[in-house]
Amino acid sequence: QVQLVESGGGLVQAGGSLRLSCAASGRTLSTYVMGWFRQAPGKEREFVSAISWSLGVTYHADSVKGRFTISRVSAKNTVYLQMNSLKPEDTAVYYCAAQPTPIIRGPPTPSDYDYWGQGTQVTVSS
């Protein structure tokens, strides 16, 4: 089992920045892909970013390329999502997820991931 706890969400004005954190526990993540997804009211959960823990390879949705960066710190067993130039359409609940494979196979979908955090709300005002 992998336990995931997100933090760092909040309210920010358009053009601002936030950094989300996902603290993982329960298993070593060296053979996992970690992902971020988001879900806005009335919409399906959608992929945002992913990182291969062992390889450091990253993958971003087109909608966030150039604005969001995913990273991980092994010593802290934590994954981060740095979000810059935020837009109102980025408003959603953001979820951290873990997939027991070392290689990102795209495009990622929620069904690929076995473990999920509880989510953290991000609201971007115009």
Side-chain angles (χ1 to χ4, degrees):
Q1 288 285 344
V2 175
Q3 291 80 42
L4 304 171
V5 179
E6 302 100 331
S7 61
L11 174 64
V12 64
Q13 288 188 333
S17 298
L18 281 174
R19 189 179 76 160
L20 305 183
S21 300
C22 172
S25 61
R27 284 189 178 177
T28 180
L29 298 177
S30 60
T31 58
Y32 281 72
V33 165
M34 303 298 294
W36 286 96
F37 288 78
R38 66 187 181 186
Q39 189 166 18
K43 294 188 177 181
E44 293 186 352
R45 192 167 297 189
E46 66 173 1
F47 168 74
V48 177
S49 301
I51 185 167
S52 166
W53 194 277
S54 59
L55 301 175
V57 174
T58 62
Y59 185 88
H60 297 277
D62 288 343
S63 58
V64 305
K65 277 182 183 176
R67 300 190 298 123
F68 291 10
T69 302
I70 188 171
S71 62
R72 85 279 192 239
V73 176
S74 297
K76 295 185 177 181
N77 235 30
T78 299
V79 176
Y80 300 96
L81 185 68
Q82 178 66 44
M83 305 185 295
N84 299 327
S85 302
L86 283 162
K87 305 176 182 179
E89 51 263 43
D90 294 318
T91 296
V93 177
Y94 282 71
Y95 297 91
C96 178
Q99 179 186 18
T101 175
I103 300 174
I104 300 172
R105 301 183 191 280
T109 64
S111 62
D112 295 333
Y113 290 75
D114 292 352
Y115 304 101
W116 293 84
Q118 82 287 352
T120 185
Q121 177 71 46
V122 171
T123 303
V124 184
S125 63
S126 57

